[in-house]
Amino acid sequence: SQTIHQWPATLVQPVGSPLSLECTVEGTSNPNLYWYRQAAGRGLQLLFYSVGIGQISSEVPQNLSASRPQDRQFILSSKKLLLSDSGFYLCAWSILRDTQYFGPGTRLTVL
Amino acid sequence: AQKITQTQPGMFVQEKEAVTLDCTYDTSDPSYGLFWYKQPSSGEMIFLIYQGSYDQQNATEGRYSLNFQKARKSANLVISASQLGDSAMYFCAMREGAGGFKTIFGAGTRLFVKA
């Protein structure tokens, strides 16, 4: 069966510091991968999605970037965090345009 | 323009009773998919049920059913025989188009199940 991992689970970072969140999927090949952000008490906002290695689509202009160095690995990064980057970050996978399945999430607090 | 609307910020239901969570959507694409997810306090998003725009019958998954009214553009989630563990945030979502990857989420409804 398929499993999706995210780490770290919780992160507290100072403003201006770099960020790297990692997501990996097991049990499937060539998945579509997604990064979402959820502000406190709000719905999900799609940040990036990827249909293959090295292929990244950005949905919202922002302080973040994404990379997909391997088929089942998706990384969310920032060179300098802002206070507004705080939130709950969720990675998801799907096969083609089918149902998306989510990881456990990373709660990021920028101070 | 907001494409997914969940008008109930919070709902209360008595344990063992049924509850309906409302969702309306807006799209001009004839091909789309509708989803419901559950988010407990732990934060993970749990997929509950899916309805395709061309599906003739309402989707059902155990105690979950989707009341799909295409003409009214509504996709309400019905939870039968509520349990305490059903207390969570519930999100309605839509994927537009046969070729679309983007899934749009509603603001969510927080469900409280009372003992």
Side-chain angles (χ1 to χ4, degrees):
Chain A
S1 64
Q2 299 86 1
T3 308
I4 180 167
H5 303 280
Q6 281 187 250
W7 65 92
T10 306
L11 191 60
V12 180
Q13 292 285 92
V15 169
S17 63
L19 173 74
S20 181
L21 302 182
E22 190 163 342
C23 169
T24 59
V25 181
E26 296 177 358
T28 186
S29 295
N30 197 29
N32 292 336
L33 296 173
Y34 309 81
W35 277 113
Y36 288 87
R37 176 168 59 200
Q38 184 180 27
R42 305 288 295 276
L44 274 66
Q45 179 186 39
L46 179 64
L47 302 176
F48 302 95
Y49 68 89
S50 171
V51 300
I53 296 174
Q55 300 179 62
I56 308 294
S57 295
S58 174
E59 286 294 310
V60 182
Q62 58 214 321
N63 185 42
L64 302 168
S65 61
S67 62
R68 185 170 177 173
Q70 299 181 42
D71 181 44
R72 290 170 287 179
Q73 183 184 29
F74 205 21
I75 297 172
L76 183 69
S77 304
S78 173
K79 292 182 179 178
K80 288 186 177 181
L81 283 169
L82 306 172
L83 287 173
S84 57
D85 291 324
S86 293
F88 189 54
Y89 289 82
L90 286 154
C91 180
W93 70 271
S94 71
I95 295 299
L96 299 178
R97 291 168 290 278
D98 207 345
T99 301
Q100 293 180 24
Y101 296 93
F102 287 81
T106 295
R107 200 165 299 279
L108 172 66
T109 303
V110 182
L111 300 175
Chain B
Q2 190 168 4
K3 298 209 172 181
I4 294 284
T5 303
Q6 294 181 253
T7 58
Q8 306 154 313
M11 288 279 289
F12 286 87
V13 64
Q14 197 67 40
E15 192 179 12
K16 300 181 184 177
E17 292 185 352
V19 63
T20 298
L21 306 184
D22 295 341
C23 173
T24 58
Y25 60 92
D26 183 27
T27 182
S28 57
D29 198 313
S31 176
Y32 53 90
L34 297 160
F35 305 82
W36 277 92
Y37 287 87
K38 172 185 178 181
Q39 187 177 41
S41 56
S42 60
E44 61 181 314
M45 294 284 285
I46 303 168
F47 166 70
L48 296 177
I49 198 166
Y50 167 79
Q51 180 86 41
S53 59
Y54 294 117
D55 293 344
Q56 295 296 315
Q57 293 189 325
N58 288 344
T60 60
E61 289 287 348
R63 294 188 297 111
Y64 305 107
S65 60
L66 200 152
N67 184 2
F68 182 44
Q69 298 188 41
K70 197 169 182 177
R72 297 179 60 184
K73 293 188 175 179
S74 74
N76 298 339
L77 176 70
V78 180
I79 305 175
S80 63
S82 297
Q83 302 172 356
L84 294 178
D86 293 335
S87 293
M89 280 290 285
Y90 288 81
F91 291 96
C92 179
M94 176 178 67
R95 184 198 64 234
E96 284 185 303
F101 290 97
K102 186 174 180 179
T103 299
I104 304 166
F105 286 78
T109 295
R110 184 168 294 280
L111 178 66
F112 300 91
V113 180
K114 300 182 291 183

